[in-house]
């Protein structure tokens, strides 16, 4: 186990006092330390939002890109250098709203990435508008009469897409969160983890207390390899929010499907002499 | 000596395949070739045509006058006979009823049926064409062999011979020289340039007329051990390419108009992150879906400022297939050198125009990555946005240096890459990013010039107007008109030396462009204060040819 202090950042944290994000940050450091991944071996990629500020608060490589666009660069980084451990930290709005299309195809592409969604069921940084996971009918700073759309079930979406690893955890249970994070990071394939994270300023419905009272842990009898059961589990919400690994399907990753990437050196180490392309000119003789 | 063949029909008749073979055979016989395509955005039906020009001197654009029309349907005859020379020939099936002494009506369908495959109609016509020019069988079979399996080769060669028997020599042409050329279009040239230039990752989403760049690279990816990824949309394409670039891989993306519009937010991302990136935009007429398979030069104004905020950028337009290869290589090197965005502009005309050109000299291709190492760590610590005199901070590859991390950000950031709202840092970072434009301006390539030393009439164009302008100037000069043309490849920053030189003596300056608003003229006015006195513009989706420029200059200007 490495010293968690090695991941400390000098940057001043801009989250609100009491925010659930404050518990996710140490859990990530703990998970990396336990996995003995040094800062230079890890990249945290993100979009834009409160959650997406994560790359600044931890000393590892960081790519803080555009709102909704965390998945494409993270995918690119892993394709470019398969030796890097690529982790996405972004919000529910970023991942399921603006970036929804990338999530769908990121899951299909199955690049070996761990994707941690800070699920506060609200747009935090833009001050409290409804997100795709805000409860239907909930009043927000934009939806004065309540959100009109159905609440997205992101994990059911992921299971339906046969996402390689699907889990949920809670910022209020560090031990559980660290364990799930470690499993997601070491899992070979796209690993989506929804992390319940109270927004103390803008979401007065899904509070720390609400998450605590409305969630329950999946026990040993639950089989995460049964896709149909997993889909049902992923749909559960009102009747209780399941925590734990919901679905797991070990299958070849994107890089496994590209033999020269899989067997060869990382793409970034590719040696290339322009003269090697001269043979292609024969096509035009 | 130059001849011009038009092959017309509806989509789905397979003329693409055999027109390419015909071009190749003529090229192998040692002639210069230039061909272009005019097709509709549909898979079956409609009217499409291909024009193949060949001769014993270099050819740089298409020409309206036709010597042979191969008409696979009646439309082709109706639409194009007007352009046929007096001694020209129309080749068509005998079922087509038409009164014209130039018609050579043949039992094409019957012959094909006898041969057992209706698809060989085109190959029969090919035989007729070669016979009309009195060309022999040399190089014919080998071209078939390279394209087809044994059986199909035999069938086609037979069909070719049948056609050959049916015609008499009509044109007495000069013999070709030794075949020392390659026959390639600008999209293929961009793709080949990208492969030679060491692109390790290319992401894109299909869109005409860009697609063939990606198709070619995709076909070669395994051989070149690079990766081509078709992604979910153009937003993903550019963001993914920025990710691979950050991770140290030379990266590129490409698209056409609509896709480029989707990419705009991320152009700024590359800018603020100081990530090298090359984006090819192969233009087609807009707005929105516009004319998907046709040509226009109407994205220039948009591209010059595309993306909110201000970023350093370079824009260069490819002018022909030779240029396209070397400019792509150069774009990649400049993107890495200045850690910035370089946009390559092409268009449908060039993307579908094949030309015989000198083979590329691969020994001239260099890959200059400008990746820094340990020496760049100040006091043992790496900072991605370390201030420097020229604004360029050393760039290292994340993961390659134990104890060092690379942090990059789309927010305004300090030297570490951390978010900042400090007024001083913001100003310093803007200055840092924009400063590289000064150095870049020192290595611009001036436009090409053709014409007299002190032209009274100066024609100005860019990109694909190269061929038509070059030939138009020759036509005007033949009549003793004092004329010259400047054709820009590097467009932004705008190289101004030759422009200033020729514009001081010119009595008239005319911009010749495929757009409505005269976008190059606007840029020139903005950058230099030089006004074009008149514009020759076209925005019907069809490329101007030299004759059109010639007659419009004479009719509207002189
Ligand atoms: C293209 C674009 N649209 C909108 C925004 C504004 N914006 C920034 S963050 C955000 C939503 C943040 O919500 P979420 O992703 O859930 O993150 P949180 O702040 O709740 O952690 C929005 C709408 C933006 N930066 N870019
Ligand atoms: Mg949120």
């Amino acid at each position: 186990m490495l010293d968690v202090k090695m991941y400390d950042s000098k940057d001043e944290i801009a989250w609100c006092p009491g925010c659930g994000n404050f518990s996710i940050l140490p859990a990530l450091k703990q998970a990396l330390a336990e996995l003995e991944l040094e800062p230079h071996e890890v990249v945290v990629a993100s979009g834009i939002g409160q959650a997406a500020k994560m790359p600044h608060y931890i000393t590892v490589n960081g790519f803080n890109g555009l709102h909704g666009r965390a998945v494409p660069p993270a995918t690119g980084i892993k394709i470019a250098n398969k030796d890097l451990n690529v982790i996405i930290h972004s919000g529910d709005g970023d991942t399921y709203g603006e970036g929804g299309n990338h999530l769908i195809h990121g899951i299909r592409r199955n690049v070996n990435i761990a994707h941690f969604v800070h699920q506060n069921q609200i747009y935090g940084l833009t001050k409290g508008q409804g997100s795709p996971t805000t409860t239907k009918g909930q009043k927000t700073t934009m939806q004065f009469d309540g959100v009109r759309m159905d609440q997205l079930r992101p994990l059911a979406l992921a299971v339906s897409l046969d996402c390689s690893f699907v889990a949920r955890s809670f910022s209020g249970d560090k031990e559980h969160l660290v364990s799930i994070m470690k499993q997601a990071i070491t899992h070979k394939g796209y690993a989506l983890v929804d992390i319940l994270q109270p927004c103390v300023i803008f979401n007065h419905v899904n509070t720390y207390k609400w998450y605590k009272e409305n969630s329950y842990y999946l026990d040993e009898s639950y089989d995460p390899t049964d896709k149909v059961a997993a889909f049902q589990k992923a749909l559960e919400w009102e009747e209780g929010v399941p925590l734990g690994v919901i679905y797991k399907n070990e299958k070849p990753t994107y890089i496994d499907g590209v033999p020269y990437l899989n067997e060869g050196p990382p793409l970034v180490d590719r040696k290339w002499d322009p003269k090697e392309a001269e043979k292609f000119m024969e096509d035009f003789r | 000596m130059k001849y011009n063949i038009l092959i017309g029909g509806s989509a789905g008749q397979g003329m693409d395949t055999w027109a390419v073979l015909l071009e190749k055979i003529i090229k192998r016989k040692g002639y210069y070739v230039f061909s272009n395509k005019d097709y509709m955005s549909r898979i079956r039906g409609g009217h499409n045509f291909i024009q193949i020009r060949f001769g014993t001197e270099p050819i740089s654009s298409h020409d309206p006058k036709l010597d042979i029309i191969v008409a696979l349907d009646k439309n082709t005859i109706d639409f194009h006979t007007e352009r046929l020379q007096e001694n020209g020939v129309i080749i068509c099936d005998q079922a087509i009823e038409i009164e014209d002494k130039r018609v050579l009506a043949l039992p094409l369908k019957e012959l094909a049926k006898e041969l057992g495959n209706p698809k060989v109609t085109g190959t029969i016509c090919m035989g007729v064409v070669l016979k009309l020019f009195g060309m022999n069988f040399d190089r014919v079979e080998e071209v078939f062999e390279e394209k087809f399996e044994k059986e199909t080769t035999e069938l086609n060669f037979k069909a070719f011979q049948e056609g050959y028997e049916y015609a008499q020599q009509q044109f007495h042409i000069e013999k070709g020289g030794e075949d020392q050329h390659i026959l390639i279009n600008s999209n293929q040239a961009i793709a080949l340039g990208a492969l030679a230039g060491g692109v390790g990752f290319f992401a894109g989403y299909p869109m005409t007329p860009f697609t063939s760049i990606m198709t070619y690279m995709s076909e070669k990816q395994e051989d070149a051990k690079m990766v081509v990824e078709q992604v979910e949309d153009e937003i993903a394409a550019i963001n993914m390419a920025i990710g691979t670039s950050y991770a140290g891989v030379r990266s590129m993306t490409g698209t056409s108009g609509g896709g480029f519009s989707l990419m705009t937010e991320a152009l700024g991302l590359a800018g603020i992150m100081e990530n090298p990136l090359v984006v090819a935009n192969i233009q087609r007429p807009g707005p929105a879906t516009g004319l998907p398979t046709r040509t226009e030069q109407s994205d220039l104004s948009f591209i010059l400022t595309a993306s909110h905020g201000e970023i350093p950028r370079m824009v260069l337009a490819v002018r022909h297939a030779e240029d396209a290869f070397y400019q792509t290589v150069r774009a990649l090197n400049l993107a890495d050198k200045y850690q910035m965005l370089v946009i390559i502009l092409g268009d449908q005309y060039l993307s579908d125009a094949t030309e015989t050109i000198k083979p590329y000299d691969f020994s001239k291709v260099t890959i200059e990555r400008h990746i820094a190492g340990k020496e760049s760590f100040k006091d043992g610590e790496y900072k991605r946005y370390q201030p420097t005199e020229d604004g360029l901070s050393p760039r290292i590859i994340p993961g390659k240096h134990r104890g060092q991390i690379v942090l990059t950000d789309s927010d305004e950031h300090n030297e570490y890459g951390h978010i900042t709202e400090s007024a001083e840092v913001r100003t310093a970072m803007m200055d840092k990013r924009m400063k590289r434009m000064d150095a870049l301006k020192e290595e611009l390539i001036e436009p090409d010039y053709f014409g007299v030393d002190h032209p009274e009439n100066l024609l100005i164009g860019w990109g694909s107007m190269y061929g038509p302008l070059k030939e138009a100037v020759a036509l005007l000069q033949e009549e003793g008109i004092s004329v010259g043309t400047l054709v820009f490849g590097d467009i932004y920053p705008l190289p101004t030396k030759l422009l200033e030189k020729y514009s001081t003596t010119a009595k008239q300056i005319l911009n010749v462009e495929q757009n409505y608003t005269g976008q190059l003229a606007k840029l020139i006015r903005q950058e230099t204060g030089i006004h074009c006195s008149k514009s020759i513009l076209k925005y019907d989706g069809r490329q101007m040819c030299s004759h059109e420029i010639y007659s419009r200059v004479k009719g509207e200007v002189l």
Side-chain angles (χ1 to χ4, degrees):
Chain A
M1 157 127 180
L2 301 176
D3 182 0
V4 288
K5 284 206 186 68
M6 77 193 300
Y7 307 104
D8 288 351
S9 162
K10 286 191 259 242
D11 202 32
E12 188 207 328
I13 296 187
W15 290 325
C16 317
C19 177
N21 285 335
F22 281 108
S23 317
I24 299 178
L25 176 59
L28 176 64
K29 291 180 183 174
Q30 182 73 24
L32 294 177
E34 288 183 21
L35 293 171
E36 304 198 327
L37 295 173
E38 294 189 35
H40 75 283
E41 298 172 305
V42 179
V43 183
V44 172
S46 69
I48 293 295
Q50 289 291 59
K53 289 177 180 169
M54 192 63 125
H56 298 281
Y57 307 146
I58 181 161
T59 294
V60 296
N61 293 298
F63 186 106
N64 184 181
L66 296 170
H67 183 53
R69 316 299 168 198
V71 175
T75 302
I77 293 164
K78 186 71 186 181
I79 291 173
N81 189 347
K82 62 180 179 178
D83 290 348
L84 291 171
N85 294 274
V86 182
I87 301 167
I88 296 173
H89 273 270
S90 255
D92 46 316
D94 196 278
T95 301
Y96 305 129
E98 190 95 33
N101 198 28
H102 305 310
L103 179 74
I104 291 174
H105 301 283
I107 290 172
R108 287 180 54 227
R109 202 170 271 116
N110 200 31
V111 173
N112 189 4
I113 293 174
H115 186 161
F116 299 150
V117 182
H118 299 214
Q119 179 60 275
N120 57 13
Q121 300 182 255
I122 209 80
Y123 284 4
L125 185 58
T126 46
K127 300 192 192 265
Q129 301 82 6
S131 94
T133 46
T134 305
T135 312
K136 191 171 187 176
Q138 185 173 324
K139 291 191 167 80
T140 74
T141 59
M142 183 66 82
Q143 287 75 24
F144 296 99
D145 299 325
V147 170
R148 295 182 189 133
M149 282 196 282
D150 285 346
Q151 183 183 351
L152 183 78
R153 297 277 185 266
L155 300 189
L157 173 72
V159 173
S160 78
L161 291 164
D162 204 38
C163 184
S164 186
F165 181 97
V166 182
R168 183 184 285 116
S169 189
F170 174 38
S171 66
D173 182 347
K174 187 176 174 192
E175 200 182 318
H176 186 260
L177 182 54
V178 170
S179 156
I180 294 280
M181 280 180 161
K182 282 169 61 184
Q183 290 179 63
I185 293 168
T186 51
H187 177 83
K188 264 193 84 195
Y190 203 93
L192 181 72
V193 183
D194 219 37
I195 304 169
L196 304 176
Q197 171 245 324
C199 171
V200 294
I201 309 287
F202 294 114
N203 193 335
H204 300 299
V205 175
N206 309 101
T207 58
Y208 181 86
K209 188 162 164 271
W210 190 93
Y211 285 130
K212 188 114 189 118
E213 285 171 0
N214 287 277
S215 63
Y216 73 96
Y217 294 95
L218 291 170
D219 62 26
E220 310 238 296
S221 68
Y222 178 74
D223 173 14
T225 63
D226 179 341
K227 188 171 173 183
V228 175
F231 186 71
Q232 277 173 336
K233 198 48 82 185
L235 286 172
E236 285 182 15
W237 187 267
E238 286 85 2
E239 58 274 49
V241 181
L243 300 175
V245 178
I246 290 177
Y247 183 58
K248 220 164 122 171
N249 177 17
E250 307 265 356
K251 56 181 177 178
T253 68
Y254 175 90
I255 287 178
D256 290 332
V258 187
Y260 52 95
L261 274 189
N262 192 29
E263 289 143 30
L267 194 54
V268 67
D269 295 333
R270 165 180 178 265
K271 298 271 179 287
W272 183 253
D273 182 335
K275 281 241 161 79
E276 293 177 68
E278 196 162 1
K279 60 176 179 286
F280 301 143
M281 203 164 53
E282 291 309 309
D283 295 344
F284 308 104
R285 292 275 179 189
Chain B
M1 176 207 97
K2 284 181 191 124
Y3 287 91
N4 204 3
I5 308 161
L6 181 141
I7 300 157
S10 56
Q13 288 189 312
M15 57 193 200
D16 265 358
T17 317
W18 67 267
V20 168
L21 299 180
L22 178 59
E23 257 168 59
K24 206 159 226 185
I25 291 166
I26 298 175
K27 176 243 174 210
R28 295 252 175 114
K29 287 172 172 293
Y31 295 100
Y32 289 91
V33 176
F34 184 99
S35 80
N36 75 307
K37 286 195 187 127
D38 186 298
Y39 60 104
M40 297 174 73
S41 183
R42 54 196 286 176
I43 306 301
R44 291 284 184 271
H47 177 64
N48 293 353
F49 64 92
I50 300 167
Q51 302 184 106
I52 304 173
R53 240 181 130 190
F54 74 94
T56 45
E57 303 129 49
I59 308 172
S60 49
S61 69
H62 63 297
D63 190 271
K65 287 189 230 83
L66 300 172
D67 298 291
I68 293 179
I69 294 174
V70 181
L72 299 178
D73 60 7
K74 175 96 179 353
N75 273 344
T76 304
I77 299 173
D78 295 344
F79 295 159
H80 304 288
T81 306
E82 209 187 322
R83 300 198 274 132
L84 188 67
Q85 309 266 34
E86 262 312 294
N87 67 336
V89 180
I90 300 170
I91 303 166
C92 63
D93 190 85
Q94 59 193 20
I96 297 180
E97 279 173 32
I98 179 99
E99 286 278 321
D100 194 313
K101 64 177 180 15
R102 295 169 293 183
V103 168
L104 177 57
L106 301 171
L108 292 174
K109 289 213 175 89
E110 247 166 69
L111 285 174
K113 214 168 158 194
E114 274 168 33
L115 286 160
N117 191 336
K119 279 195 195 147
V120 298
T121 315
T123 324
I124 300 171
C125 295
M126 205 192 288
V128 178
V129 170
L130 254 68
K131 183 63 170 291
L132 289 170
F133 287 115
M135 293 177 179
N136 60 23
F137 281 17
D138 287 355
R139 322 302 299 262
V140 175
E141 217 172 344
E142 71 179 35
V143 170
F144 289 168
E145 273 167 4
E146 289 165 23
K147 173 78 191 173
F148 305 119
E149 301 288 320
K150 190 159 178 288
E151 249 170 63
T152 320
T153 299
E154 279 167 15
L155 173 69
N156 276 280
F157 195 56
K158 231 163 121 190
F160 172 84
Q161 284 169 305
E162 292 260 0
Y164 201 85
E165 293 303 314
Y166 259 93
Q168 299 287 322
Q169 180 167 0
Q170 167 94 359
F171 306 99
H172 293 272
I173 67 170
E174 290 165 35
K175 252 186 104 56
E178 202 180 321
D179 172 25
Q180 292 171 325
H181 295 120
I182 57 169
L183 183 64
I184 190 167
N185 68 41
S186 289
N187 271 15
Q188 292 163 331
I190 290 170
L192 196 58
L195 289 165
V199 168
F201 182 79
F202 189 102
Y205 185 89
M207 187 161 184
T208 307
F210 142 76
T211 312
S212 60
I213 295 178
M214 184 163 156
T215 308
Y216 188 74
M217 293 182 74
S218 183
E219 190 188 325
K220 301 297 173 195
Q221 62 178 319
E222 191 176 348
D223 204 338
K225 306 256 185 299
M226 51 85 66
V227 176
V228 174
E229 184 63 3
Q230 180 181 319
V231 291
E232 55 272 21
D233 56 32
E234 290 82 354
I235 300 175
I238 186 166
N239 279 283
M240 201 177 283
I242 292 172
T244 49
S245 174
Y246 158 83
V249 171
R250 193 167 250 199
S251 303
M252 187 170 163
T253 180
T255 183
S256 293
F260 193 84
S261 292
L262 289 181
M263 288 185 179
T264 52
E265 187 189 22
L267 299 174
L269 181 67
I272 198 165
M273 285 186 161
E274 301 180 44
N275 244 328
L277 186 69
V278 174
V279 183
N281 175 26
I282 310 304
Q283 302 165 94
R284 68 190 220 184
T289 309
L291 292 166
T293 59
R294 305 206 172 270
T295 202
E296 203 159 85
Q297 298 182 295
S298 52
D299 291 351
L300 177 60
S301 295
F302 165 52
I303 267 175
L304 290 170
T305 55
S307 190
H308 55 289
E310 295 165 304
I311 55 164
R313 81 183 72 206
M314 181 181 196
V315 180
L316 47 88
V318 300
R319 289 170 288 192
H320 46 82
E322 186 173 347
D323 192 45
F325 174 86
Y326 294 110
Q327 282 286 51
T328 301
V329 170
R330 177 165 162 260
L332 291 163
N333 283 335
L334 290 174
D336 266 339
K337 180 173 181 185
Y338 294 111
Q339 301 180 23
M340 67 183 274
L341 173 68
V342 181
I343 298 166
I344 297 174
L345 278 175
D347 60 29
Q348 181 270 331
Y349 177 70
L350 288 179
S351 76
D352 286 316
T354 59
E355 288 176 67
T356 39
I357 55 166
K358 276 204 308 280
Y360 301 118
D361 183 352
F362 282 71
S363 69
K364 272 201 212 148
V365 177
T366 55
I367 297 178
E368 296 147 34
R369 294 299 318 274
H370 304 274
I371 301 280
K374 284 192 193 46
E375 72 290 343
S376 63
F377 306 158
K378 261 210 166 137
D379 309 318
E381 188 185 29
Y382 177 74
K383 298 178 198 161
R384 174 65 188 94
Y385 301 103
Q386 175 82 45
T388 58
E389 206 144 296
D390 58 6
L392 299 171
S393 311
R395 178 169 164 244
I396 64 164
I397 293 176
K400 294 292 182 193
H401 301 275
R402 191 157 185 229
Q404 304 296 343
I405 57 119
V406 183
L407 176 63
T408 189
D409 191 6
S410 70
D411 289 273
E412 189 56 273
H413 42 254
N414 62 22
E415 59 199 278
Y416 291 94
H418 285 310
I419 300 173
T420 182
E421 296 194 24
S422 146
E424 293 80 44
V425 177
R426 160 67 176 181
T427 308
M429 283 295 164
M430 279 299 292
D431 292 344
K432 169 191 193 317
R433 288 190 291 269
M434 298 309 285
K435 221 186 300 187
R436 68 202 64 200
M437 294 299 282
D438 298 337
L440 176 63
K441 279 180 189 154
E442 298 302 312
E443 52 179 304
L444 297 177
I445 297 177
E446 289 289 322
D448 281 336
Y449 179 77
F450 305 99
V452 299
D453 284 348
H454 303 285
E456 283 179 21
N457 301 287
L458 179 63
L459 310 184
I460 291 177
W462 58 284
S464 65
M465 289 313 300
Y466 173 93
L469 275 172
K470 187 177 166 186
E471 293 190 1
V473 162
L475 291 174
L476 291 162
Q477 268 187 287
E478 273 171 28
E479 298 189 4
I481 296 166
S482 169
V483 65
T485 186
L486 280 174
V487 190
F488 287 81
D490 284 12
I491 293 201
Y492 191 82
L494 186 73
T496 55
K497 291 193 185 88
L498 289 188
L499 182 65
E500 267 153 19
K501 176 181 157 191
Y502 288 106
S503 61
T504 46
T505 55
K507 292 202 184 113
Q508 308 213 62
I509 306 176
L510 315 165
N511 58 305
V512 184
E513 306 182 53
Q514 292 279 149
N515 57 47
Y516 184 89
T517 49
Q519 302 187 2
L520 177 65
K522 226 192 277 184
L523 175 67
I524 288 175
R525 207 155 60 228
Q526 173 190 314
E527 298 292 304
T528 65
I530 295 170
H531 282 252
C532 292
S533 38
K534 199 145 177 95
S535 300
I536 294 182
L537 304 171
K538 195 168 191 262
Y539 37 85
D540 62 359
R542 278 82 174 166
Q543 186 83 353
M544 265 186 265
C545 67
S546 56
H547 292 272
E548 201 171 341
I549 299 172
Y550 164 89
S551 33
R552 288 184 65 177
V553 168
K554 287 190 65 170
E556 299 170 23
V557 183
L558 295 176

